[in-house]
Amino acid sequence: MIHQNRKLYNKNFSQEKYQFFLKDIENTFDYKPPFKIAETPVFIPKDLKNKLVNACNDILEVINKPNFKELTNGAFFTEDRIVPNEDEHSKFLQLDFGICKDENGNLVPKLIELQGFPSLYFFQHLLGSMYRKHFGNVIPENYSQHVNGITSKEYVTLLQQEIVGETNPKQVILLEIEPEKQATAIDFYATEKALGIKILCISKLIKKGKELFYLDDESKEIKILKIYNRIIFDELDQRKGLKTQFSFLDKVDIEWIGHPNWFYRISKYTMPLLKGDYVPKSFYLDKLAEIPEDLENYVLKPLYSFAGAGVEIHVTRKMIDEIKDKSNYLLQEKVAYAPIIETMDVPAKCEVRMMLMHNSKTNKTEIVSNLIRISKGEMVGVKYNKDKTWVGGSTGFFEN
């Protein structure tokens, strides 16, 4: 997005460099990520960085309201979703912004979705270091993945503080469903390496009363004190044949690092509660007194789905009329992503995920990293970008 940086990067890019870059990532854990990693990082100018920070602060004002939990109790849709021992703050927060242009041609972020759940905190750290290693001669030193100016070392130290803290790392686990089969497995491996914690499938948890254990490599039982939860409930619901001793509804003596309830509270359900320059108009479908005439300017989203499942981008009145339970849907103003990243053929659009974390020492939720998805398709998802180049997962380097 910064013309001189983009021009220099594109001029110095080669397919050979890119393949070395991908191979280096693959060799780090002897694992090839199943998702597309983009040919380029994104250079984010100061003005857009400031707008992204302001947008995050506006949203945090709502999330930090004393009555936020009361406002989001409806997000659970059934009471058997509520996990015991909820804490006061979401440890993790992801805010996804489409980058658009206003009427004057200035870049502006627009919120697409938000989630009170972890993201690829450790893989993004690895990815940023790999872009610097292989393309560092065209990435200025005064540009950073971190808007708050922390160093890479300070970033990892902060993650260690919030996920492990003073606990023995052996007694902290990253919890998933068959983690080695997940598309994000490389992030788990990077987490394990950085923190020394155990990656564990939920089926391997041993429950004894209110205590949880796992077997280490020597078949010794290790008591679990903290769970860094990475399980998406949509997937857990679909895995009917998965045999487990532990249910999320069990009252157990562990500390959740990222309490599961925030997955529901901070989600698409939150969108209609938000207002401001950086938030598209959003409505609970069942609360709409009148359906807008210009439906071509809206998208229809299921409230309780993940990773874009069920999103309709070509909305019709007939489609809405045929929905039996309108309380399960959200009608949201379309966001027009701007093609602003110059590539070797057509310009690409991008979505910036601002990755936040609640700092227990400062008692504040802070922006700590970012994730970017570059797209040339109708939507950001993989199926809209098949066989395209200069698309996929990336990271942003912010101008200081």
Side-chain angles (χ1 to χ4, degrees):
M1 285 181 251
I2 301 175
H3 181 68
Q4 66 268 28
N5 297 102
R6 174 54 52 208
K7 186 177 179 183
L8 184 62
Y9 187 94
N10 291 13
K11 182 181 177 182
N12 283 270
F13 178 84
S14 72
Q15 195 62 30
E16 185 181 28
K17 283 183 185 178
Y18 176 56
Q19 292 304 321
F20 277 129
F21 159 80
L22 292 178
K23 196 65 181 174
D24 205 357
I25 292 172
E26 190 178 323
N27 289 342
T28 305
F29 300 104
D30 192 24
Y31 174 82
K32 184 177 181 178
F35 53 87
K36 172 77 161 55
I37 297 174
E39 287 84 340
T40 180
V42 176
F43 302 104
I44 300 177
K46 286 180 192 175
D47 182 63
L48 180 59
K49 176 181 78 170
N50 293 336
K51 288 174 182 173
L52 283 162
V53 171
N54 290 338
C56 291
N57 289 338
D58 286 352
I59 293 161
L60 282 172
E61 277 189 26
V62 175
I63 291 172
N64 290 334
K65 282 183 176 179
N67 66 337
F68 182 73
K69 286 190 178 184
E70 182 184 336
L71 293 171
T72 55
N73 280 337
F76 295 95
F77 69 95
T78 57
E79 287 192 6
D80 63 1
R81 300 278 165 166
I82 301 174
V83 179
N85 301 324
E86 184 178 331
D87 50 15
E88 289 305 306
H89 304 278
S90 178
K91 177 59 69 178
F92 306 103
L93 176 60
Q94 316 310 320
L95 303 177
D96 291 346
F97 296 93
I99 305 304
C100 314
K101 284 188 177 181
D102 64 16
E103 60 276 9
N104 299 315
N106 299 312
L107 298 181
V108 60
K110 289 284 185 179
L111 184 68
I112 304 298
E113 285 192 0
L114 67 170
Q115 193 72 67
F117 192 77
S119 189
L120 310 185
Y121 287 91
F122 289 90
F123 174 68
Q124 288 305 109
H125 176 66
L126 169 66
L127 184 60
S129 68
M130 286 297 183
Y131 276 123
R132 280 216 175 270
K133 179 178 177 180
H134 292 270
F135 302 99
N137 61 321
V138 288
I139 301 175
E141 281 300 319
N142 66 322
Y143 283 53
S144 173
Q145 279 185 287
H146 313 291
V147 296
N148 55 2
I150 60 174
T151 64
S152 293
K153 185 178 179 181
E154 288 169 334
Y155 171 71
V156 174
T157 299
L158 179 60
L159 290 168
Q160 194 280 336
Q161 168 191 300
E162 296 305 321
I163 298 172
V164 178
E166 300 301 317
T167 306
N168 182 344
K170 283 191 72 172
Q171 294 183 279
V172 182
I173 64 163
L174 185 160
L175 190 65
E176 244 296 4
I177 301 167
E178 297 184 311
E180 69 284 354
K181 295 181 181 178
Q182 298 291 337
T184 53
I186 192 166
D187 180 65
F188 307 156
Y189 302 144
T191 304
E192 180 183 45
K193 181 180 179 183
L195 302 182
I197 67 177
K198 178 78 172 177
I199 304 169
L200 201 72
C201 178
I202 189 172
S203 64
K204 304 294 184 184
L205 284 176
I206 301 166
K207 184 171 176 286
K208 295 183 177 183
K210 288 189 173 184
E211 296 182 330
L212 294 177
F213 301 83
Y214 72 89
L215 297 178
D216 67 8
D217 295 337
E218 298 173 352
S219 296
K220 179 183 175 184
E221 282 191 354
I222 305 296
K223 184 180 176 181
I224 299 165
L225 297 180
K226 291 181 178 179
I227 296 179
Y228 176 41
N229 179 49
R230 299 298 297 271
I231 290 179
I232 299 292
F233 292 108
D234 302 58
E235 182 180 357
L236 189 61
D237 289 344
Q238 294 163 15
R239 300 295 295 273
K240 303 298 183 187
L242 192 69
K243 294 181 179 179
T244 65
Q245 293 184 30
F246 167 73
S247 162
F248 277 86
L249 302 181
D250 293 337
K251 291 183 178 179
V252 288
D253 296 332
I254 57 95
E255 180 183 348
W256 291 104
I257 308 300
H259 194 283
N261 288 353
W262 293 103
F263 174 84
Y264 292 106
R265 292 194 184 281
I266 303 175
S267 63
K268 287 191 285 289
Y269 190 89
T270 318
M271 289 291 294
L273 306 177
L274 306 172
K275 302 290 184 284
D277 295 338
Y278 306 113
V279 181
K281 289 182 287 187
S282 302
F283 309 95
Y284 300 119
L285 192 59
D286 63 326
K287 299 287 197 305
L288 262 179
E290 192 174 339
I291 303 298
E293 292 291 330
D294 58 335
L295 284 174
E296 68 275 10
N297 294 320
Y298 287 84
V299 294
L300 189 64
K301 296 181 174 182
L303 276 174
Y304 311 110
S305 70
F306 184 75
V311 174
E312 297 286 353
I313 57 177
H314 302 296
V315 186
T316 64
R317 182 61 188 255
K318 182 174 181 288
M319 190 183 292
I320 291 174
D321 290 342
E322 289 176 350
I323 295 173
K324 289 184 174 63
D325 189 354
K326 291 181 172 55
S327 65
N328 285 338
Y329 282 83
L330 187 77
L331 192 66
Q332 183 177 311
E333 187 180 24
K334 256 182 192 171
V335 170
Y337 292 64
I340 49 175
I341 300 172
E342 296 172 34
T343 74
M344 299 307 187
D345 45 35
V346 298
K349 301 169 280 190
C350 76
E351 187 173 287
V352 179
R353 171 171 294 177
M354 300 298 278
M355 298 164 58
L356 292 81
M357 184 168 66
H358 186 263
N359 187 327
S360 59
K361 297 286 177 69
T362 64
N363 198 30
K364 291 181 180 178
T365 301
E366 305 166 353
I367 303 166
V368 295
S369 191
N370 78 89
L371 180 155
I372 288 182
R373 292 184 289 180
I374 302 175
S375 171
K376 293 178 181 177
E378 196 171 21
M379 285 179 70
V380 169
V382 173
K383 68 179 180 180
Y384 297 95
N385 287 279
K386 284 181 180 177
D387 305 319
K388 292 181 171 65
T389 59
W390 289 61
V391 297
S394 182
T395 195
F397 287 98
F398 296 93
E399 182 183 21
N400 293 322

